[in-house]
Every structure is written in structure tokens, then in C-alpha cells.
Amino acid sequence: MSEGVDLVLSERVPTESGATVVVTLNRPEARNALTGTLIVQLREALAAADADDSVGAVVLTGADPAFCAGVDLRMLGSEGGWDDVNVPGVPTGFPWIPLSKPIIGAINGATVTGGLELALACDILIASDKARFADTHARVAMVPAWGLTGRLPAAVGWGFARRMSLSGNFVDAETALRVGLVTEVVGHAELLPSALALAADIGGNNRRAVGALLTSYREAQQHGLGPELDTEAAHSEAWMAAFDPSQVAAAREKVMDRGRKQMK
């Protein structure tokens, strides 16, 4: 697949009260690893769904076999990064401009590092029984910049969040449900239907009331996370000032091999 072509797919699914938009990360051959172009396309797809008044909710998922393997380590290790992904309009600690509608993350497989940050930025997570979660920032000589050190402990508690980040070990779907990272685990074939059913339930409610509730939840969460996101941004900026991409290149194959073994 050529870079810049259909890296993100967007499908409008009709419902009784309007529609749900399914946004799919579409680099399956690279386990939907993040590139600058993919991030731009993702932001554009989400913004377009948000601007459609008939849309009640958005479902974000990945093309099998993964949700998102995080940053494309091959590119990061060889080029030292991508186009600036911290763009004007996107708040500190967010991968995209927050939507006025709920985003349901349908987690279909490996959800790693930057991919975990995308998942944490969703409002509700449903996982396939094939889903696996890991934060491998420390294993690839990186630190997070999209709010992981605030949102992960808010979801699973400080101790479990530290365990994930400091070890880099994978967490299976049932453990993710037990610690509160996801709200439901379903069979792999039932993942998208379950997410669409939930989206239809949300979209069938009074849109103004849903919007008001979502805003209230997000503002309450942001009051607690604001200082944490600012702290993460400061540490990320300081880390990147001395970032050495050769460290990523040296660790890349070892980290990817370890991940493959833990996913079995």
C-alpha cells in the first residue's frame, strides 16, 4: 500500500436515528503503525464525522490483525520522526481535536504504545478477545506525548499503570476488563456489531442531552488531568530535545520480536 493512499477508511453506517461513522486505521501489513500521513488522515476523518449532524457516534477500529502497533519504528529509527504531529488546534495531550460526539474504540488486536494512546483518547472501549495492550515507550527509548501518563492511571490505577509502562509487558483482554481499561470483552466476530449496537443506542438518545453529558464528563476529567498532561508535555519536550533515533533503530527488532512472542 502506498503511503498517503487510504491509510484511514471512513464508512457511514445508517441507524434508525441517523448514522454511525466507522473509522478504520488501514495499514494492516504494518499492523496499522502510525505515520505522519496516517495521523493527518485520521484527524481529517474524525473531524468530518464530527461535522455531520446526522452522526450520533463514531467507532474507531483497526484493520485486522491489529488495532494499532504504535509509531512506525522503522521510519522513526531511520528518519528520527515524521511531520510535526503536534499541530495548532490539537490540545496538549491529545492525538486529535476532541469531538463533540462520543468515540467508541473497538479494539480488535494489538494496541501498543502510541496505539494505546489512541485507545485512551476514546470515550468508551470495547475489546475483542484477541485484543492485547502494552506500553513499550521505555523499550524503544521514547516517552509519551498524547496523555498516556494521565489517562492510563485514571483508567487502571497508578500501580497498574506503572507496571505496564515500566515493564512494557502485554496485558490480555480479560485483564484489561478486570482493571478497568475496557468496558466489555466480546468474541472477535462480535466486536464491530457490539460497537455499532452501542453507538446506535447512544445515537438514539436525545442528542443535546448526550452532548451535555459528554461535555460534563470530559470537563470533569480534564480538571483532574490538566496538570498531568502539562507535566507529560514538559517531560516529552525535554526528552525529544536530546532524542537519538539510533537508539530506536538498535532496539527495534528486539522489541518487535518480544512483542510477537508475548502476543502468542
Side-chain angles (χ1 to χ4, degrees), residues 187-224:
H188 192 70
E190 297 304 312
L191 178 62
L192 192 55
S194 296
L196 287 171
L198 178 59
D201 287 343
I202 293 170
N205 288 327
N206 181 279
R207 295 285 179 82
R208 289 186 61 202
V210 168
L213 280 164
L214 187 61
T215 298
S216 181
Y217 272 115
R218 286 179 175 169
E219 288 185 358
Q221 183 182 35
Q222 190 65 16
H223 285 320

Side-chain angles (χ1 to χ4, degrees), residues 228-249:
E228 295 170 7
L229 298 183
D230 290 340
T231 297
E232 179 182 277
H235 282 281
S236 177
E237 183 177 354
W239 182 268
M240 291 305 295
F243 174 63
D244 180 2
S246 67
Q247 294 180 338
V248 175

Side-chain angles (χ1 to χ4, degrees), residues 10-77:
S10 184
E11 179 186 5
R12 192 175 185 276
V13 179
T15 65
E16 290 185 1
S17 57
T20 297
V21 169
V22 179
V23 175
T24 305
L25 307 179
N26 190 41
R27 292 187 74 209
E29 76 289 348
R31 297 185 179 271
N32 304 318
L34 300 172
T35 69
T37 302
L38 186 150
I39 292 167
V40 169
Q41 290 189 13
L42 174 59
R43 288 171 171 166
E44 291 173 346
L46 292 176
D50 202 35
D52 187 339
D53 291 338
S54 69
V55 173
V58 175
V59 173
L60 177 63
T61 193
D64 280 341
F67 176 73
C68 177
V71 171
D72 191 320
L73 294 180
R74 291 182 175 85
M75 183 177 65
L76 184 63

Side-chain angles (χ1 to χ4, degrees), residues 55-141:
V55 173
V58 175
V59 173
L60 177 63
T61 193
D64 280 341
F67 176 73
C68 177
V71 171
D72 191 320
L73 294 180
R74 291 182 175 85
M75 183 177 65
L76 184 63
S78 62
E79 301 177 10
W82 55 56
D83 296 335
D84 183 11
V85 295
N86 294 312
V87 297
V90 179
T92 297
F94 288 82
W96 51 69
I97 295 174
L99 274 60
S100 63
K101 299 161 185 176
I103 303 179
I104 299 168
I107 310 303
N108 56 302
T111 303
V112 185
T113 312
L116 180 57
E117 293 193 272
L118 296 190
L120 288 166
C122 296
D123 297 293
I124 301 168
L125 296 181
I126 298 176
S128 155
D129 54 9
K130 294 184 178 181
R132 300 291 185 272
F133 304 85
D135 177 22
T136 62
H137 278 100
R139 290 193 174 274
V140 294

